[in-house]
Every structure is written in structure tokens, then in C-alpha cells.
Amino acid sequence: MVNSQNNSASRIGSLTQLQWLAVALVLVTGVLHVYAGVVEGRVPVALAGVGYAGALALFFRDYRRRLLYLIGVPYTAVQFPIWIVAKTEYGVVDYVDKAAQAVLIVVLVYLYLNAPSE
């Protein structure tokens, strides 16, 4: 078990700059979703943020990262039309979140296309 923990720690230290960018973008959009979900009283929005936290947990456990990249693209992309339909007023937080998500989608596609097959 100790060997497995050391392997995970060394994998975290060996993340590329693009992977760290993806982590930062996931943190931004995840925190903003939880915040907006709590403030607006919209449980599904908060749960979307929790979904991002779950993805990060799997990512740092080195669990099928290529698959996480692939699933992350539609998971993030589907939030754009839902946001447009569900929101009536848009604020700075909304635009920051959507900008982070747009960049995240591009980064995830790149990471997926350039990740070694599992």
C-alpha cells in the first residue's frame, strides 16, 4: 500500500503545465457552481460543482485520466445550453464561469487527444 501511495504522489508531481491548468479551471468552475447553487438555492447547480470535485479526486488518484478528459468535455459543454435556458439574469460570476468552462473544454480535448491510450 505504501508503494501505491508513493506512486500516486510522484504522478501528482509530474503533472504537465496543461494538466495543472485543467485542475485550476476545474477548481474555478467547481467552486463557482457550488457557490451559485447555494446562493441561488439551485441544488442541481451545486451538484454540478460537486461533480467537478469528484473528477478531481479521481484525477489525483490517477484513475483513467484519458477517460476523465473525454467525459469532462460533454459534462462541461452541456452546461452552456442549460445555463442559457435556466438563467434570466447574468452576472460577472456567470461570465467568469463560462469563460473558464470554454477554456477547460479546449484543454480537455487537447489532453484527450495527446494522452497515451489506457
Side-chain angles (χ1 to χ4, degrees):
M1 186 68 167
V2 171
N3 199 13
S4 172
Q5 289 174 340
N6 287 340
N7 188 28
S8 291
S10 67
R11 295 277 291 168
I12 290 171
S14 65
L15 293 179
T16 66
Q17 288 181 346
L18 209 52
Q19 286 173 315
W20 280 115
L21 175 60
V23 167
L25 292 167
V26 168
L27 280 171
V28 167
T29 194
V31 167
L32 290 177
H33 272 80
V34 170
Y35 170 78
V38 170
V39 168
E40 297 173 4
R42 295 181 184 214
V43 174
V45 174
L47 288 176
V50 173
Y52 284 113
L56 277 181
L58 291 172
F59 179 81
F60 282 120
R61 300 268 320 157
D62 197 19
Y63 180 79
R64 301 182 72 180
R65 287 182 178 166
R66 190 163 193 257
L67 181 61
L68 289 172
Y69 302 147
L70 182 63
I71 292 170
V73 171
Y75 182 85
T76 304
V78 75
Q79 294 179 38
F80 281 86
I82 293 171
W83 173 68
I84 291 167
V85 170
K87 291 287 282 192
T88 56
E89 295 180 22
Y90 305 103
V92 174
V93 171
D94 296 303
Y95 293 116
V96 169
D97 179 49
K98 293 308 159 205
Q101 287 181 332
V103 175
L104 177 60
I105 290 168
V106 172
V107 170
L108 290 175
V109 167
Y110 181 88
L111 288 170
Y112 174 77
L113 293 174
N114 292 286
S117 296
E118 296 175 325

